[in-house]
Amino acid sequence: MIATVLGASRDPVLEQRIGFACAIAILFVWTGFILASRAGARGVLTPWDLAALRFGVALVALSPLMLRGALRDIPLQRVLVMGATAGLGFALFAYNAFALAPAAHAAVLLPGALPFVTAVLAWAWLGEAPTSRRVLSLLVVAAGIALLAGSEFFATPGAWRGDILFVIATSSYAVFIVLVQRWRVSAIQATAAVALGAAPLYLPVWWLALPSAIAEAPWQEVVFQGFVQGLVAMVLASLLYTRALVALGSTTVSLFTAVVPALAALAAWPVLDEPLGLGALLGVFLVTAGMALGVRRGRVDVPLARP
């Protein structure tokens, strides 16, 4: 059963159903990740601790797959690149950003900026020229991000630094997405490669040199963040996203992720007590609308000429 879900099915109907199920699950996984990460960054644990829990728990959980040869067909340099992008690059910048900026900023700039960077990289590396509708959608997303930044720029001290880190984290993950498509890596291989490519490099450095408060943190917080960051956000999210990407393609998956900015930003209001102003609400709406517009099929989708 697990092999059927994680491996590509020869039945196109079943393949589509699996893809849609994974895409729907991504909504809740990404929303939970944003809320839990912001809560963790505001707690006792340092951003470096959150990254250590993410990589350490994921490495242990994925060890059986690695021992069974899940990565035998993947060159070492590709494993390291995937670990550096979706692993180190995304996590280290994102967790430090969560310590500086509210969850609403993460909700917009992580899933919101992702199609931006992905579209540019796919055009440059894969020759996938964006359609006119896609360009329009990205402009709407840009307006939403600018509105959010303008309305909330000085609301939280240092938030602008977190916003920059969120964009860098998103860009790093976008590189991973394009490479997975280019290399035709399966969901299991991509997830295992991220853990194996990041954990052995990061954990010794964290243990010896990086600030840590894991010894002072309540064990309940350590267990909770280890579960969320290592199993849910690292293993489950990577499997779901990559599997949905393989089954449905990046355009269709973006339709579902378009809901994440609004869902996470609104949930942060009661859960984390981070209210949104009118400008921020409008910014979240524009990002969500722009992402949905970009994946809507229509006759006006005219490919742009590549220079």
Side-chain angles (χ1 to χ4, degrees):
M1 179 64 181
I2 295 178
T4 301
V5 174
L6 296 182
S9 173
R10 295 182 179 180
D11 184 347
V13 176
L14 177 60
E15 179 73 356
Q16 187 179 61
R17 289 177 179 175
I18 292 174
F20 280 125
C22 291
I24 292 173
I26 288 170
L27 299 181
F28 301 97
V29 170
W30 279 17
T31 300
F33 161 72
I34 290 173
L35 297 178
S37 298
R38 175 60 174 165
R42 291 167 55 181
V44 178
L45 296 172
T46 69
W48 313 107
D49 292 333
L50 294 176
L53 290 171
R54 178 185 181 95
F55 299 138
V57 173
L59 183 64
V60 172
L62 293 170
S63 292
L65 290 177
M66 299 175 192
L67 293 175
R68 293 177 60 183
L71 297 176
R72 70 165 62 96
D73 298 326
I74 307 295
L76 177 59
Q77 62 267 30
R78 293 188 177 183
V79 172
L80 294 176
V81 169
M82 286 187 279
T85 52
L88 297 174
F90 174 79
L92 298 184
F93 285 108
Y95 289 137
N96 279 280
F98 277 115
L100 298 170
H105 291 218
V108 170
L109 295 176
L110 287 179
L114 188 60
F116 252 114
V117 187
T118 303
V120 173
L121 294 179
W123 190 4
W125 291 357
L126 305 180
E128 297 179 0
T131 63
S132 58
R133 181 183 293 274
R134 185 67 170 173
V135 171
L136 177 61
S137 75
L138 294 178
L139 292 176
V140 175
V141 170
I145 293 175
L147 187 59
L148 174 68
S151 62
E152 298 286 318
F153 199 81
F154 299 106
T156 303
W160 64 271
R161 292 180 293 164
D163 293 343
I164 293 175
L165 295 180
F166 279 135
V167 173
I168 297 175
T170 300
S171 301
S172 184
Y173 200 82
V175 173
F176 166 75
I177 290 175
V178 174
L179 291 178
V180 165
Q181 291 184 285
R182 184 171 187 175
W183 294 338
R184 300 185 182 277
V185 180
S186 70
I188 293 178
Q189 290 174 325
T191 306
V194 171
L196 184 61
L201 298 177
Y202 177 77
L203 292 177
V205 176
W206 165 74
W207 182 261
L208 296 173
L210 295 177
S212 175
I214 200 166
E216 292 78 32
W219 68 267
Q220 298 93 333
E221 182 178 355
V222 175
V223 171
F224 173 74
Q225 290 294 343
F227 172 77
V228 172
Q229 306 300 339
L231 292 181
V232 177
M234 179 75 171
V235 178
L236 184 59
S238 296
L239 285 173
L240 289 174
Y241 193 90
T242 311
R243 185 65 182 88
L245 198 66
V246 171
L248 303 176
S250 59
T251 299
T252 303
V253 174
S254 296
L255 174 63
F256 290 87
T257 60
V259 184
V260 174
L263 195 61
L266 294 176
W269 198 330
V271 174
L272 299 175
D273 192 26
E274 294 182 350
L276 298 175
L278 180 60
L281 283 171
L282 183 56
V284 170
F285 170 78
L286 285 178
V287 171
T288 303
M291 294 175 69
L293 175 65
V295 296
R296 179 184 174 188
R297 296 185 182 274
R299 294 183 179 180
V300 297
D301 280 7
V302 180
L304 300 179
R306 187 178 181 185

